[in-house]
Amino acid sequence: MIENNLAEVDRVWKVTPGLFSPTVTYVLECKWSIVTRKTLDDFIEVLKWSTDFGVDTENGRELKKGVVPVFAAGAYNPKEKVVIAEEKITLSQYTYR
C-alpha cells in the first residue's frame, strides 16, 4: 500500500533536452534479488497510483506523459516467461517493453 499516494523509489531525475522540449522524468528502481514479473508489475502500479507520477485518464490510471520508468536488476528469473499477444518473451524483454 502506498502511504499518502507518494511513491518510494530509488532515484528520480528530470531532464529538459532543449529549450522548447518537454521535461522528461526518469524514475529508477533497483532490485538486488532475483526479479519476477510481480516485482516489475508492482513497480509500475506504484508509479501509476502515486500523485507524482500517475494520473487519472478515461482509460483508468496511467503514468503521466513524460514519465519514464527505469528498472535495474541484478538477475531476472530465467525460468519465468511472459505471454503477450501469443508471444512468449523473457522477463528482461518484458521489462524493456
Side-chain angles (χ1 to χ4, degrees):
M1 188 67 174
I2 305 165
E3 188 172 311
N4 297 326
N5 288 337
L6 298 175
E8 184 177 321
V9 294
D10 292 322
R11 179 100 39 209
V12 176
W13 67 98
K14 294 183 179 192
V15 176
T16 304
L19 186 60
F20 300 108
S21 301
T23 299
V24 178
T25 302
Y26 294 93
V27 184
L28 175 67
E29 180 73 14
C30 297
K31 294 292 181 193
W32 303 110
S33 59
I34 294 179
V35 175
T36 64
R37 180 179 180 170
K38 182 177 181 337
T39 310
L40 298 170
D41 290 342
D42 287 348
F43 171 55
I44 297 299
E45 285 299 307
V46 165
L47 295 182
K48 281 200 257 184
W49 288 98
S50 74
T51 55
D52 293 327
F53 310 116
V55 65
D56 288 321
T57 69
E58 57 193 34
N59 297 326
R61 196 76 181 166
E62 295 181 0
L63 291 177
K64 290 180 180 177
K65 289 184 181 181
V67 173
V68 178
V70 178
F71 193 90
Y76 293 94
N77 182 348
K79 296 178 182 175
E80 189 170 0
K81 304 291 183 204
V82 179
V83 178
I84 297 178
E86 299 180 19
E87 178 185 5
K88 190 182 276 191
I89 60 175
T90 66
L91 277 177
S92 59
Q93 290 170 322
Y94 177 67
T95 305
Y96 177 74
R97 289 183 181 195

